Amino acid sequence: MDENAITLSINGRDTTCFVRNAATLLYILREKLGLTGAKPGCLNGDCGACTIDVDGEPMKSCLMLAVEGEGKKITTIEGMKQTTIQSQFIEKFAFQCGYCTPGFIMNCHALIQKHPDATDDMIKNWMESNICRCTGYKEIEDAVKTALRQANQNTDG
Amino acid sequence: MNWSIGKSPTRKDSLEKVTGAAKYTADFIGAQMLHVKLAVSSHAHAKLKKIDTAKAKQVPGVHAIILGPASPLTGDEVKDRPIMASDTVRYYGEPIAAVVADHPFQAKKAAELIEVTYEPLPVINSPKEALQPGATLLHKDLATYEKIPHVYPEANTNIANRTKIRKGNISQGWDESDITIEENFSFSPSDHTAMETRCTIVEIKPDGVVHITSSTQAPYKIKKQFAEIFGLEEGKVVVHAPFVGGGYGGKVATQLEFIAYLASVAVGGKPVKLLYTREEDMVSAPVRIGLDASIKLGATKEGKLTAAEITYLIDSGAYSDKGSMLTKAAAATCTGPYNIENVSCDALCVYTNHPYVTAYRGFSHSEILFVFERAMDILAKKLKMDPLVLREKNVFLPGMTTPTQTVLNHSTVGNLPNCIDKLKDLMNWDEGMVVRVADNKLRVKGISCSWKTSTISGASSGVVLLFNPDGSVNVLSGIVEIGMGTKTILAQLLAERLKMDINKIHVQMEVDTKVIPEHYKTAASRGTLLAGRALLKAADDAVSQLKHIASHVLTCSPDDLEVGYEKVYVRDEPETFVQVKDICYGYEFPNGNSIGGQVIGRGNYTLRHLTNLDYETGAGKSGPEWTVGAQGVEIEFDTTDYTYKLLNAYSVIDIGKVLHYKAAMGQVMGAMSMGLNHASAETFQFTQDAIISSPRLRTYGTFRYGDHPQYHVHFFETPHLDGPYGARGVGENGLIGMPAALANSLSIAAGVELTKLPLTPESIWRAKEGDEEK
Ligand code: FES
Ligand code: FES
């Protein structure tokens, strides 16, 4: 089993680990680094449960090789502390089983950072990449819209 | 004024879930852990001629390859299923072999190198086909399979169970009717699609204790089944259920746990993990039922139902798992929430070469209601009557008799007329069911009514309350936290009972069957009733212990004391009290004498007075209470291409008592979404050979953000006297009327009686074209 050492910058720290060239970033995060917040749901880009943040963009970590992560700034749910979107998810009861939650939060967070003034259409376009099977999406809608409103107020002044 | 009930305290699992700290089964990772991957069948029905593992064994990292043993057979009610196929495969995707290796990629590579030679057998692709004379028998040994009493497999057929309902006199019912309708309905099996695919970790310790960690709704059932099937001592089987990423009934079944156990045995008890791929989770694991139904209804000119004759053929797939109990539930609920004096119904659990079925949220109620509530609309149309008025004339009221001949009372059934009235209001019913909004666009309303009980006799639950030295309490309950927030509700019930701060109540999320008292299964919307009642009893037990100790401290009779506000106080002199924290670990008098010890409250609850159903008539008490509801859908329909948009969805449910408002809303909206999703998009597509084409999320059609309608939810509170604070089960009611309501609105919109699911523009077009050809 050929493994090479790579260095990844995750949640503000550099970590060196041995990976197979074919290993996905999701696999390495979970199995080698113990960062199990990103979840496997389909392993082919359909569900968004594995979403992380790579250089400010939401990225499905099951679609990315670990070796591609070198030199990039990676943030996982474990790197998120007391963000507005997290408190809004709690406040609005935007999860039930919670399995889709880390992926949704990472996706929402990137949206809020990049487009605090996102329109309804844009929110829909972004959120469509994740699946939640427990909620009826209403609570997620409330959470993301409130968080966006708060982000907007902050940028306005 | 309620202390905590009816409010919406923050969920106890909030912080863990929004930070990624919450651990699900697959999140337990160990350097020593080995990984299992499956080889599954590429045929729906075939003899296994040869399984060649020679190449697979060569793959580096492989420890063992396990083939399906012919015995023991497994199954909940009828033992008809081998752990993996041994000589015959009966559905596409059925596990055939399991490979254990150091790393998942190695196990997968080896599994792909296993060469299977099949000899194809004739395929049965629907319950109707299965019942044709001369149909291939899927289980030749059906007559000799072990089974529980009260299921009735029919030898030399493909029928795994039959439940009959015979109420009143059916020919008299037809005589009394002025008008009749007849219709057939059908749909294929579909999937639960929880976001967490099923996963299990099994390890056998040197002392023989088997540890199973699993994404399960039924950890205590796994314990019992392991003991029974593998001949283990129950005390040596420990099941851990951490957070579960959605179940909806699908994780009630035990399947991969058995395979992983064989895998662990094969590698000397080392821990092995088996995580299903999405494709395996959809197809190899058990699924939701399909149905072929035929129904005939009779009514008077005035719209009083006089007779119903119904056949429900439940597509149970290759094995029966929960199929036989789904059949029983289908029969017991066969007429929907309507009083009909003369009923004849046969519900059959039928084997086919489809993936086998297990429980699904609603436990066959949404499927049966789709049929019955569509039939009600067809009848209303023939009577030229408002469909809600027809329903109002026939709804179940206290004093009436269910199809299983149970007499309802004010506690056991909610108030459906109230729900219907409110629904009219919310939907602006008087506006009319169809409004043209553009040349080719119609806004159309459809409705349905529902009722739901749980046919779960013998179900029980236990709760233990452990006091901490600071007066806070740990709640131990065997309920699995699969998303409903039941553990938060238990904390609420305790906060209410003890009038204490909910933040000082700590709930144990992970279930460990060795140390946590048993809870039947986290299913059937009965968590709150069973565990809630057990908790209240445990609270009473703790209260009497606290009073006992306090009576010595305060030198009075325990009868004069009350517990609340974290104190034990004299009832008519509340300023005389002792703090709970000063006595919950016993009390030390100033002279050094001590009394009492840690307060440990115990309570349990078992559903009472449920009975088996009589084989000939179906008579018996099938469930504890019936939650009723009225639901509606409003769509915008394009008459040129049959596409439609879900605008509004309505649920008015008599919930008994709202315990946690936001959790109840979340359950109901989530369930509504799931019901609409199933009705509008979800199904397995079978080829002629019963091969499932493209079992993956991309094509399966799960709703995404933005597909959801506006939700309108209203609760009534007619108490169920047995329920904690009067609460009724609610986890399924949001779902069960939705497929019928959507189908009713689309039938009106398209001007054709829709009888199949899912309701895609294409299927509507087909129904319409077929109709025009006639
Ligand atoms: S696991 Fe990555 S998108 Fe589903
Ligand atoms: S909360 Fe369960 S899938 Fe979203």
Side-chain angles (χ1 to χ4, degrees), chain A residues 26 39-50 60-63:
Chain A
L26 175 66
K39 304 291 182 211
C42 65
L43 303 186
N44 65 4
D46 290 345
C47 75
C50 63
K60 288 171 177 166
S61 60
C62 72
L63 292 183

Side-chain angles (χ1 to χ4, degrees), chain B residues 25 33 199-214 219 222-223 226 230 232-242 256-258 260-265 269-274 510-515:
Chain B
T25 300
M33 205 175 268
C199 184
T200 194
I201 300 165
V202 176
E203 178 175 11
I204 307 161
K205 300 272 185 170
D207 57 3
V209 176
V210 182
H211 286 267
I212 304 135
T213 304
S214 192
I222 295 180
K223 173 173 146 181
F226 263 60
F230 299 122
L232 302 167
E233 286 174 47
E234 288 197 6
K236 289 192 163 184
V237 181
V238 181
V239 185
H240 307 261
L256 68 173
E257 294 85 354
F258 294 139
Y261 173 74
L262 296 183
S264 181
V265 169
K270 291 202 185 78
V272 301
K273 181 191 270 185
L274 172 52
E510 182 181 321
V511 173
D512 173 336
T513 59
K514 190 171 185 180
V515 294

Side-chain angles (χ1 to χ4, degrees), chain A residues 117-126 141 145 148, chain B residues 705:
Chain A
D117 50 359
T119 60
D120 282 4
D121 272 351
M122 185 183 262
I123 300 174
K124 179 168 178 323
N125 278 337
W126 275 60
E141 178 178 0
K145 287 189 172 166
L148 276 165
Chain B
Y705 181 103

Side-chain angles (χ1 to χ4, degrees), chain B residues 287-579:
Chain B
V287 304
R288 175 190 200 167
I289 61 168
L291 183 71
D292 282 341
S294 57
I295 181 166
K296 184 176 173 196
L297 288 184
T300 64
K301 284 194 296 292
E302 295 72 36
K304 181 174 168 1
L305 292 167
T306 57
E309 200 168 327
I310 311 166
T311 311
Y312 292 128
L313 306 181
I314 289 187
D315 184 345
S316 183
Y319 303 103
S320 63
D321 196 82
K322 276 274 151 279
S324 56
M325 289 298 110
L326 286 156
T327 304
K328 174 183 164 193
T333 195
C334 65
T335 59
Y338 306 108
N339 183 46
I340 309 176
E341 296 301 338
N342 309 295
V343 181
S344 173
C345 170
D346 277 61
L348 276 66
C349 176
V350 184
Y351 290 123
T352 67
N353 290 117
H354 290 164
Y356 69 98
V357 301
T358 190
Y360 185 99
R361 203 171 188 179
F363 210 71
S364 81
H365 283 67
S366 87
E367 294 85 346
I368 269 46
L369 285 171
F370 165 67
V371 172
F372 202 90
E373 288 289 293
R374 277 273 41 240
M376 285 295 276
D377 257 36
I378 295 170
L379 180 65
K381 193 169 155 198
K382 199 160 177 187
L383 285 164
K384 298 194 174 57
M385 188 176 277
D386 179 324
L388 267 180
V389 172
L390 174 64
R391 284 167 172 85
E392 269 176 322
K393 284 179 192 273
N394 292 285
V395 293
F396 268 122
L397 299 172
M400 292 176 173
T401 307
T402 70
T404 68
Q405 303 179 39
T406 299
V407 180
L408 299 166
N409 64 35
H410 284 275
S411 167
T412 54
V413 68
N415 190 327
L416 188 48
N418 270 353
C419 297
I420 293 178
D421 272 354
K422 183 71 191 176
L423 184 73
K424 281 186 187 161
D425 240 32
L426 289 177
M427 292 184 79
N428 191 13
W429 192 249
D430 294 340
E431 165 197 57
M433 291 164 73
V434 183
V435 177
R436 187 169 289 279
V437 287
D439 271 358
N440 60 337
K441 288 252 161 54
L442 303 174
R443 194 155 51 74
V444 186
K445 296 178 182 128
I447 48 96
S448 72
C449 294
S450 68
W451 73 336
K452 168 81 182 55
T453 193
S454 314
T455 36
I456 48 170
S457 53
S460 72
S461 184
V463 164
V464 166
L465 304 174
L466 295 177
F467 278 71
N468 295 310
D470 63 359
S472 66
V473 187
N474 301 338
V475 179
L476 308 185
S477 152
I479 288 205
V480 180
E481 184 46 76
I482 61 173
M484 316 86 71
T486 314
K487 289 206 159 152
T488 305
I489 293 174
L490 291 184
Q492 246 187 314
L493 292 173
L494 187 63
E496 183 76 33
R497 180 68 185 82
L498 299 182
K499 300 266 179 291
M500 70 183 282
D501 180 358
I502 194 167
N503 295 315
K504 293 192 179 158
I505 297 170
H506 310 289
V507 292
Q508 161 79 19
M509 288 294 170
E510 182 181 321
V511 173
D512 173 336
T513 59
K514 190 171 185 180
V515 294
I516 308 263
E518 177 157 341
H519 175 78
Y520 150 81
K521 292 173 198 171
T522 305
S525 298
R526 291 299 159 206
T528 311
L529 171 60
L530 295 172
R533 283 291 300 268
L535 176 126
L536 291 176
K537 197 163 161 193
D540 287 344
D541 185 30
V543 162
S544 78
Q545 294 174 43
L546 289 168
K547 284 184 182 172
H548 181 72
I549 301 171
S551 71
H552 291 279
V553 179
L554 301 173
T555 55
C556 64
S557 159
D559 300 341
D560 294 336
L561 297 174
E562 287 293 335
V563 177
Y565 317 101
E566 295 165 49
K567 293 173 194 156
V568 185
Y569 57 90
V570 176
R571 189 174 299 114
D572 67 355
E573 211 177 275
E575 51 288 350
T576 306
F577 67 84
V578 56
Q579 300 271 7

Side-chain angles (χ1 to χ4, degrees), chain A residues 95-101 131-135, chain B residues 195 248:
Chain A
F95 61 86
Q96 290 175 27
C97 79
Y99 199 80
C100 69
T101 311
I131 299 175
C132 175
R133 187 73 163 160
C134 296
T135 73
Chain B
M195 291 325 294
Y248 326 114

